[in-house]
Amino acid sequence: MENKDLGSTAIQKPPMEKTQPKKLQIALKEKTAEVNNFLTSIADLILFVVRVVRETFSRGFEFNEFLHQCFQIGYKSLPLISITGAIMGLVLTIQSRPILVDFGAVSMLPGMVTISLIREMGPVITALICAGKIGSGMGAELGSMKVTEQIDAMEVSSTNPMRFLVVTRILAATLMIPLLILYADFMGILGCWLGANIKGEVPFVLFIGQAFGHVHFSDLFPAVIKSFFFGGVIGLVGCYKGYNAGRGTESVGIAANSAVVSASFWVIIIDMIAVQITDMLL
Amino acid sequence: MKNETTEMDIKNDTVPATSAKAVIEISNLVKSFGKSEILTDLSLSLYDNENLVVLGKSGTGKSVLIKCIVGLLPSDSGIISVFGKNVLDLNSKELNDLRQKIGFLFQSGALYDSMTVKQNLEFPLRRIKKDLNEAEIAEKVNEVLENVGLADALNKMPSELSGGMRKRISLARTIIVDPLIMLYDEPTTGLDPITSDEISSLIIDVQKKYKTSSIIITHDINCAIKTANRVIMLKGGKVYQEGSVESFQKSTDEEITAFFKLN
């Protein structure tokens, strides 16, 4: 009888009115910590941007390293951008053709695909690919340099790691990604021509005439401008995540992963803003 | 009991035999990370052409100490005087100028993975000794590689090197700019006893050849015995004991005997 009483005492729950405020307090603390972390990371990012801008315009620009990064980002991405660009144009053509045939507007196909590529598909898809390839590369490389004390070693060698590693990468990405986007557009148009020739024969000169007959300066200009922002944000986010990686090897993976996710997110956000501005102005 | 060295004997042994001047003088150094105070009121001196070994358990702030000296970590308070200049008062240009006189051997070696051995060695040389021409740079690179016994590693990538080779190349990269002070962060950690002994010999060679003053952070008692002119043991973020290797070996202090015997 005694044991039964003890058992019932053991599983007796504390009164609800006492546990509820405690749970609320814990939840409130957690939320406050989350908000604090978020605000701290925003402040860190702003300070990082300010430092990048200051170092960019200070004396002693690392020109050789900048050229090296242009080569790494630009030239070494060409095979990937060539294939994805061409496939983008080919797929767009194959998908759009049946609908245009139904409307009897198949002659509009090259122009429609070209405008789609130049205005939206080329910049956004190429930027997302670059966020994956270049952003993650920067995050992982700088992250591992941080973990293995290479950044500290650079600093004690009287070299400003911010200027040598970060500024050069961000500027190279800002310059090279727009060029890669233009190249992807070109490959996409070639892919479109291939697609147009799968069911029928379209001479190249006629195709180019039809493709660029509908393209105006107002299609190209906003796309090029937003490409520079895509490049800048991919470089900035990749470097920020890598440069501020933690101390363990796990941090390298986290830096690379969050560089891709954040850079892709910002590419989409910038694209949305650019589209709104273009729509208002043109 | 007569042979046992007391704490007083150790303290009396701290002043170097020669009346050498101090190249580093640290007074009342405090460094915290958040609420955890790593260095609490630490004071020490490094004398000219001396090898000072700093011993202590993990987490006693040994690496933090040398990172504060070179300005990689900002200290909370205290004075770190290097060649008479307080590191905490220097602007970035003055700090860079001072760093050119200090060599830092990192625990991991910290070789630049994307560069060959040659490029790794040329990197600090081209930035610090800007007046050297290509022939002089090549000569200097070959000289330091021969000094560390790795003349044939010139075009290798760091990933192709063993742990001991990485440490040697890292040492070569540090001494290539003729530093006056060397800071070694656990130079023999992770190496086999033979390679550790070779690295310890290299540390002595560097001291003799380049006339450097060094702080050597280590857990390796053999390295300490071989390289030290003077030993300091840290505990609780401050200097616990100070003396010669012999006095430490003869000490009856439990902390010291445990450290020496377990090694």
Side-chain angles (χ1 to χ4, degrees):
Chain A
M1 196 59 191
E2 272 181 26
N3 285 343
K4 203 176 179 181
D5 285 347
L6 279 170
S8 62
T9 315
I11 57 164
Q12 200 176 18
K13 286 181 182 174
M16 280 291 281
E17 56 272 20
K18 280 190 177 175
T19 53
Q20 211 68 343
K22 261 194 175 179
K23 276 185 183 173
L24 208 69
Q25 266 185 342
I26 293 166
L28 198 69
K29 264 189 180 177
E30 280 173 1
K31 286 288 162 203
T32 313
E34 274 176 29
V35 172
N36 270 343
N37 285 342
F38 177 72
L39 292 176
T40 310
S41 62
I42 295 278
D44 274 350
L45 182 62
I46 292 168
L47 286 175
F48 187 80
V49 173
V50 169
R51 219 179 137 194
V52 167
V53 172
R54 202 178 55 208
E55 295 296 346
T56 305
F57 295 104
S58 63
R59 285 181 67 191
F61 181 67
E62 302 280 355
F63 191 71
N64 287 340
E65 180 60 15
F66 168 70
L67 287 182
H68 174 69
Q69 288 306 322
C70 285
F71 176 79
Q72 291 288 330
I73 293 169
Y75 180 73
K76 292 210 167 171
S77 303
L78 282 179
L80 179 68
I81 299 300
S82 302
I83 293 166
T84 49
I87 290 173
M88 200 161 51
L90 186 71
V91 168
L92 260 180
T93 308
I94 293 169
Q95 293 276 32
S96 312
R97 190 186 165 89
I99 300 162
L100 290 176
V101 168
D102 286 349
F103 285 100
V106 75
S107 63
M108 299 288 284
L109 185 65
M112 195 199 80
V113 172
T114 304
I115 288 175
S116 309
L117 282 171
I118 288 175
R119 290 184 74 140
E120 197 58 35
M121 301 295 283
V124 173
I125 290 182
T126 309
L128 289 175
I129 290 166
C130 288
K133 184 183 182 292
I134 297 161
S136 68
M138 285 178 184
E141 190 183 7
L142 296 190
S144 71
M145 285 185 83
K146 178 91 181 276
V147 168
T148 55
E149 299 177 306
Q150 290 175 53
I151 292 180
D152 286 345
M154 207 165 267
E155 205 163 338
V156 296
S157 299
S158 292
T159 302
N160 185 335
M162 197 75 178
R163 205 179 295 160
F164 186 83
L165 297 171
V166 177
V167 170
T168 52
R169 278 166 173 75
I170 293 175
L171 289 183
T174 309
L175 187 70
M176 285 296 117
I177 288 175
L179 293 178
L180 287 172
I181 286 172
L182 287 176
Y183 176 69
D185 291 346
F186 168 74
M187 291 306 292
I189 291 164
L190 279 186
C192 176
W193 179 61
L194 282 177
N197 276 282
I198 290 173
K199 289 183 179 176
E201 198 176 313
V202 185
F204 188 68
V205 176
L206 175 67
F207 172 81
I208 291 295
Q210 286 181 339
F212 287 97
H214 302 280
V215 179
H216 302 287
F217 182 69
S218 58
D219 296 314
L220 190 64
F221 184 69
V224 171
I225 295 295
K226 74 179 174 186
S227 302
F228 282 102
F229 284 94
F230 290 163
V233 82
I234 290 168
L236 183 71
V237 169
C239 288
Y240 172 74
K241 295 289 180 185
Y243 203 80
N244 291 294
R247 284 282 168 190
T249 46
E250 190 195 14
S251 320
V252 179
I254 294 171
N257 184 270
S258 59
V260 178
V261 174
S262 303
S264 305
F265 171 76
W266 282 109
V267 163
I268 301 291
I269 296 290
I270 289 171
D271 188 51
M272 186 192 72
I273 295 168
V275 167
Q276 293 292 327
I277 293 171
T278 311
D279 192 47
M280 280 192 290
L281 294 179
L282 302 172
Chain B
M1 278 298 278
K2 274 185 181 176
N3 290 335
E4 287 174 350
T5 309
T6 61
E7 190 178 320
M8 188 58 77
D9 294 330
I10 293 176
K11 288 285 182 193
N12 289 338
D13 199 18
T14 57
V15 181
T18 56
S19 55
K21 61 173 182 179
V23 288
I24 296 179
E25 281 182 301
I26 297 171
S27 319
N28 313 111
L29 183 66
V30 176
K31 173 67 189 170
S32 310
F33 292 98
K35 287 175 184 171
S36 147
E37 205 168 57
I38 304 297
L39 298 177
T40 56
D41 197 29
L42 185 140
S43 301
L44 62 83
S45 297
L46 172 72
Y47 297 98
D48 193 22
N49 203 22
E50 166 191 52
N51 275 352
L52 172 67
V53 166
V54 179
L55 297 173
K57 286 182 190 169
S58 299
T60 48
K62 303 185 298 297
S63 298
V64 172
L65 165 68
I66 54 171
K67 285 186 177 173
C68 286
I69 292 172
V70 83
L72 279 176
L73 289 174
S75 55
D76 301 341
S77 64
I79 297 169
I80 304 172
S81 169
V82 183
F83 296 117
K85 289 177 182 169
N86 187 3
V87 173
L88 304 175
D89 294 339
L90 302 179
N91 62 33
S92 61
K93 193 194 171 298
E94 290 167 335
L95 187 61
N96 271 342
D97 290 343
L98 186 67
R99 280 171 176 167
Q100 294 179 6
K101 297 173 186 166
I102 304 173
F104 197 119
L105 183 74
F106 287 87
Q107 192 176 344
S108 59
L111 292 176
Y112 308 127
D113 290 331
S114 57
M115 299 182 195
T116 62
V117 166
K118 185 175 176 240
Q119 289 167 332
N120 261 286
L121 296 176
E122 286 176 351
F123 188 86
L125 201 57
R126 288 184 190 280
R127 279 147 202 286
I128 293 173
K129 307 250 173 183
K130 287 176 182 166
D131 52 334
L132 295 182
N133 60 37
E134 289 300 318
E136 287 168 327
I137 288 172
E139 191 186 332
K140 193 83 185 158
V141 167
N142 288 329
E143 181 197 316
V144 290
L145 275 179
E146 276 170 22
N147 283 345
V148 297
L150 284 172
D152 55 343
L154 193 67
N155 294 312
K156 286 188 174 167
M157 294 300 286
S159 56
E160 297 173 80
L161 305 173
S162 67
M165 288 165 89
R166 286 173 77 96
K167 279 271 162 73
R168 281 161 179 263
I169 297 296
S170 187
L171 182 57
R173 188 180 65 182
T174 311
I175 59 175
I176 200 166
V177 289
D178 305 321
L180 301 172
I181 297 172
M182 283 291 297
L183 305 174
Y184 298 91
D185 191 3
E186 302 193 18
T188 58
T189 298
L191 302 177
D192 64 86
I194 297 167
T195 314
S196 296
D197 191 58
E198 287 170 359
I199 296 288
S200 302
S201 302
L202 271 176
I203 292 173
I204 299 167
D205 291 346
V206 167
Q207 183 198 17
K208 284 179 185 164
K209 188 164 184 180
Y210 296 89
K211 307 276 180 234
T212 54
S213 317
S214 312
I215 295 179
I216 304 156
I217 306 289
T218 187
H219 292 291
D220 180 357
I221 293 301
N222 292 326
C223 173
I225 292 169
K226 191 161 184 172
T227 58
N229 298 124
R230 191 158 56 100
V231 182
I232 277 177
M233 180 175 259
L234 296 189
K235 189 186 170 191
K238 56 176 80 173
V239 175
Y240 177 68
Q241 289 288 14
E242 194 174 344
S244 65
V245 178
E246 293 76 26
S247 60
F248 264 74
Q249 283 174 312
K250 290 172 188 169
S251 172
T252 53
D253 187 292
E254 276 183 19
E255 290 283 338
I256 298 172
T257 49
F259 209 90
F260 272 72
K261 277 176 188 168
L262 287 174
N263 271 273

